Amino acid sequence: MLDALLLQAGYNAALVAIGAALLGFAAGASGTFMFLRKRALVSDAVAHATLPGVGLAFIVMVSLGGDGRNLAGLLLGSAVTAWIGLLVIEWMTRRTRLAEDAAIGAVLGVFFGIGIVLLTVVQTMSAGRQAGLESFLLGSTAGMLLQDAVVIAVGGSLAVLATWLMRRPMTLVAFDSEYAAAAGYDVRRIDLLMMALVMAITVIGLKLVGLILIVALLIIPPVAARFWSERAGRVIWIAGGVGGAAGYLGAAMSASAPALPTGPIIVLVAAAIFVLSLLFAPVRGVLAALLRHRRFQRRVHRRQGLLALAAHHPIREAYTLRLLAREGLVRPDGVPTEAGRAQAAKVARDERRWEVAREIHQDAGLTGRYDGLTPIEEVFTPDEIAEFDRRLGPPVAVGAR
Amino acid sequence: MTPSSRPAIAADHGRPARPDAIPAEAALAVRGLTVSYGEKPAVFSVDATFPAQSMSAIIGPNGAGKSTLLKAALGVIPRLSGEVHVFGRPVKEARERIAYVPQRASVDWDFPATVMDVVQMGLYRRVGLLGRLSGRMTRAARDCLDRVGMADFGHRQIGQLSGGQQQRVFLARALAQDADLYLLDEPFAGVDAATERAIIDVLKALEAEGRTVVAVHHDLSTVRAYFDHVFLINVRRIAEGPVETTFTTEALQATYGGRLAAAHLDELAVAGGRA
């Protein structure tokens, strides 16, 4: 395992690890805008639409007397049918009453079906060595050649470059397509570009991870990356990093044991990174959200408890009582301590200040911030608060009944 | 369509429905615009002229095609027929003179962007694909945020903003474009009073600088206070002209039909007269 991680597990394993890392990076970065545009599943349909192209290219090349397994020919064929699938989705969404999800389902099913039929036909052809075409379904690294790695490196770099060059128009269209259209951007062409990027990644990744799982590399890294950044420009690179790490780690892990399939392991590593991000990312992670919620709940209960004390009402909720008791504001039986009475008096005074503020203050934007929790000092200046106090009269001594 | 079938109020202003010349002084001129969702026209054969260096409101009931008119004029949604001119030129050639403020609810505010990122989107056209945002442009963007009272929010994630703040950010993005014609879709919808004040102040300032503002507007009680010119629409054009002469009980009745009680309309007209 360590050998594989350090690229010491043999030439082929090293080639696969580097190729997978490059592919993962390119897929993560290029898939980001599809995800931000909320069209991530289009890539699934595009990936499935590559299959007929593989079969057709094989048949054409064999019937022309060539080698049916020529990689460039197969990739070209897959790109052609993927592009047709893409245009069909785009046309159906724009020109018919079908929603995009229906168009995706239709294209995915029909194209994949045609692809399987063609592959079956290929199996029965006498000419050509057709063995290995099925590997386009789930990918195979066993026979990965230098030329495959070069295809990934060159194609992936171009896709990342295009993503970087077009980041502004694509951000604009993903965020606010109406504004983009009004500003004169050709939204349809930018959408097509996003899909073309996804298609390019699918085609170059076909051999390594296969058409069924490549979609995971296009979607999971951006989704995971979104947990770590609030800026689209950074999400691109974090997604690339997540994809690259998943590709590298996945390839190394699968090389360390004889029976582990590379493509699925890469996807599982990406999924693991996603789960970790989902749970532990600061701000957007599940854990952070839970903590934030608990903290807020504590503030609400504390405040309600103090308001009850100020009004000489009994505190009914056990949680509120526990909170105040822990701070030494009430005794376990609910009777306020000296400190508790002082705090309650302050809370009561702030409530009366708010009342005055809402009566006399002109700015509804400020008085509208009265929600029971927001401290009055955050909304009004000390001078304004002093003015409220002047209207309220002198403060009552703390602790006095 | 024969002239006699046109609404009487439109005819009152004594100009033909389809003038051959497009008025040169118009900031936005729409001629024969029809937009349809399916086979039901949302806007039918509308002529509209919005004078330059003024503030115009597009007014009408829900579903009357107010937003549709604006979007179709801009080419955001396709039009079935009609021509649109901006400052006397076809709209396609005048893009850089137009700034559009879409409805706040039309985007997903959980998008990964800061307030500053959104304002800078207004500069993208000028910066181009590869250009860097210069210090001068960043400062300009910050000024725009300042003008809408959001100077302290530049680094805030847009998802954390209140509705009113989101609306101000959209306005700041349009300001960053430094355009001559500002088209706003319901800029006051669902915003707090302070935001409404801030927005109207900015729009008035734009008008004072000699720019043109056209806004889809739904609050009849503020029309007289905010706007110089009104365009009343209910799928078809009902009336257009200066607020004092066009924003009348009669015209509102024609626009809203039975949807507004006559007594209520009178009240608006009187209340508006004092404003």
Side-chain angles (χ1 to χ4, degrees):
Chain A
M1 176 78 188
L2 192 65
D3 281 350
L5 278 179
L6 298 172
L7 299 177
Q8 301 298 311
Y11 173 73
N12 189 254
L15 200 60
V16 170
I18 292 172
L22 291 174
L23 178 68
F25 186 90
S30 313
T32 298
F33 283 108
M34 277 308 249
F35 158 64
L36 292 178
R37 183 86 165 113
K38 303 190 193 305
R39 307 181 70 189
L41 275 182
V42 171
S43 43
D44 204 11
V46 171
H48 282 77
T50 56
L51 194 58
V54 173
L56 278 176
F58 183 89
I59 292 170
V60 169
M61 287 191 288
V62 167
S63 57
L64 290 177
D67 176 9
R69 292 172 62 186
N70 179 293
L71 182 66
L74 293 176
L75 294 191
L76 185 68
S78 68
V80 169
T81 51
W83 187 246
I84 294 172
L86 240 170
L87 292 179
V88 172
I89 292 176
E90 205 258 349
W91 178 83
M92 277 170 108
T93 314
R94 218 159 36 91
R95 292 286 170 187
T96 73
R97 290 169 149 246
L98 289 177
E100 189 167 77
D101 57 345
I104 289 170
V107 166
L108 189 152
V110 170
F111 277 69
F112 193 61
I114 296 172
I116 294 291
V117 168
L118 286 174
L119 282 199
T120 316
V121 170
V122 164
Q123 299 294 338
T124 61
M125 283 169 67
S126 50
R129 307 181 312 280
Q130 61 271 44
L133 278 196
E134 326 76 65
S135 74
F136 281 93
L137 281 177
L138 285 171
S140 137
T141 54
M144 183 148 163
L145 304 171
L146 186 61
Q147 64 158 350
D148 299 335
V150 170
V151 166
I152 290 174
V154 173
S157 307
L158 288 177
V160 172
L161 186 69
T163 303
W164 183 76
L165 282 179
M166 296 298 288
R167 67 196 185 285
R168 283 177 188 151
M170 292 199 295
T171 306
L172 207 49
V173 168
F175 173 58
D176 190 349
S177 61
E178 285 184 1
Y179 176 83
Y185 288 96
D186 189 334
V187 173
R188 183 173 164 252
R189 270 169 61 186
I190 293 167
D191 271 333
L192 278 177
L193 173 75
M194 284 186 207
M195 295 193 272
L197 286 173
V198 157
M199 188 201 78
I201 297 294
T202 307
V203 168
I204 63 172
L206 272 185
K207 228 178 145 206
L208 193 58
V209 289
L211 65 91
I212 294 178
L213 287 176
I214 184 74
V215 62
L217 276 186
L218 286 162
I219 298 176
I220 296 176
V223 175
R226 179 67 185 89
F227 282 102
W228 300 95
S229 177
E230 297 289 3
R231 306 191 70 178
R234 289 184 196 154
V235 172
I236 300 173
W237 303 121
I238 299 173
V242 169
Y248 189 78
L249 292 174
M253 282 165 79
S254 79
S256 66
L260 290 179
T262 310
I265 296 291
I266 291 174
V267 170
L268 288 179
V269 173
I273 298 176
F274 161 70
V275 171
L276 289 177
S277 307
L278 171 83
L279 292 178
F280 301 114
V283 187
R284 290 183 76 88
V286 169
L287 207 65
L290 194 70
L291 285 175
R292 223 169 24 242
H293 179 73
R294 292 300 291 271
R295 211 158 39 230
F296 180 70
Q297 195 177 23
R298 206 155 55 224
R299 263 180 74 202
V300 169
H301 276 266
R302 184 175 184 280
R303 182 92 182 168
Q304 283 179 333
L306 288 174
L307 281 169
L309 289 186
H312 305 294
H313 288 317
I315 297 170
R316 289 206 184 76
E317 279 191 73
Y319 178 58
T320 315
L321 203 58
R322 266 207 316 280
L323 264 181
L324 295 186
R326 212 187 302 157
E327 280 190 56
L329 299 175
V330 294
R331 300 206 313 251
D333 58 2
V335 175
T337 63
E338 199 67 20
R341 278 201 296 276
Q343 292 261 2
K346 158 85 169 97
V347 165
R349 180 152 195 93
D350 281 353
E351 284 295 296
R352 287 200 300 278
R353 284 166 164 170
W354 271 114
E355 267 169 40
V356 176
R358 297 204 300 164
E359 218 170 279
I360 66 166
H361 209 279
Q362 299 299 319
D363 193 339
L366 293 181
T367 54
R369 286 184 60 192
Y370 176 73
D371 56 7
L373 271 184
T374 308
I376 194 163
E377 292 87 354
E378 274 182 22
V379 182
F380 297 104
T381 61
D383 287 349
E384 285 173 319
I385 294 174
E387 166 65 15
F388 303 151
D389 285 345
R390 200 182 56 73
R391 287 172 184 251
L392 276 173
V396 184
V398 166
R401 285 288 168 119
Chain B
M1 162 176 151
T2 59
S4 61
S5 71
R6 269 191 288 121
I9 293 163
D12 280 351
H13 289 279
R15 66 168 197 67
R18 202 78 42 97
D20 296 321
I22 284 140
E25 73 278 12
L28 174 64
V30 171
R31 290 295 171 265
L33 179 77
T34 299
V35 184
S36 160
Y37 300 112
E39 296 199 347
K40 175 140 182 50
V43 167
F44 185 78
S45 192
V46 161
D47 294 347
T49 307
F50 297 97
Q53 307 188 1
S54 69
M55 281 185 63
S56 304
I58 301 175
I59 292 166
N62 290 334
K66 305 185 293 289
S67 300
T68 303
L69 172 67
L70 211 56
K71 287 185 200 172
L74 282 164
V76 173
I77 52 177
R79 41 183 188 259
L80 274 181
S81 68
E83 284 179 19
V84 180
H85 284 78
V86 171
F87 296 111
R89 301 170 62 87
V91 62
K92 274 196 174 135
E93 297 169 19
R95 292 268 180 224
E96 71 284 358
R97 301 188 68 181
I98 310 170
Y100 173 53
V101 180
Q103 280 183 26
R104 171 165 66 78
S106 66
V107 307
D108 174 11
W109 289 89
D110 194 39
F111 192 85
T114 62
V115 166
M116 200 56 174
D117 290 338
V118 174
V119 178
Q120 285 177 347
M121 287 178 189
L123 299 168
Y124 281 0
R125 282 256 84 155
R126 237 178 304 154
V127 181
L129 286 185
L130 299 175
R132 277 184 58 85
L133 286 161
S134 66
R136 197 166 52 84
M137 283 180 163
T138 315
R139 273 194 300 282
R142 216 172 291 137
D143 285 346
C144 295
L145 266 184
D146 196 29
R147 282 169 74 182
V148 298
M150 294 277 292
D152 299 334
F153 290 80
H155 296 289
R156 194 73 76 84
Q157 206 274 324
I158 55 171
Q160 298 168 358
L161 302 177
S162 73
Q165 290 168 337
Q166 291 172 350
Q167 191 67 57
R168 293 194 216 187
V169 172
F170 262 9
L171 181 59
R173 175 176 68 175
L175 292 178
Q177 283 179 263
D178 194 20
D180 296 314
L181 172 60
Y182 285 81
L183 300 174
L184 303 92
D185 197 347
E186 301 262 13
F188 306 112
V191 304
D192 53 279
T195 297
E196 178 151 347
R197 196 68 250 160
I199 292 176
I200 195 65
D201 286 347
V202 170
L203 298 183
K204 293 273 189 195
L206 287 174
E207 187 190 15
E209 289 167 13
R211 305 178 204 247
T212 309
V213 175
V214 177
V216 171
H217 192 62
H218 67 286
D219 181 3
L220 296 179
S221 67
T222 50
V223 170
R224 279 175 189 266
Y226 291 175
F227 296 96
D228 320 313
H229 183 95
V230 286
F231 180 85
L232 298 173
I233 182 174
N234 193 345
V235 182
R236 316 190 59 160
R237 185 188 69 166
I238 307 294
E240 66 180 309
V243 171
E244 309 85 66
T245 54
T246 312
F247 191 67
T248 58
T249 310
E250 187 196 13
L252 284 174
Q253 194 72 62
T255 310
Y256 286 82
R259 271 175 275 200
L260 284 184
H264 186 48
L265 289 177
D266 284 337
E267 194 183 304
L268 281 172
V270 173
R274 275 204 307 268

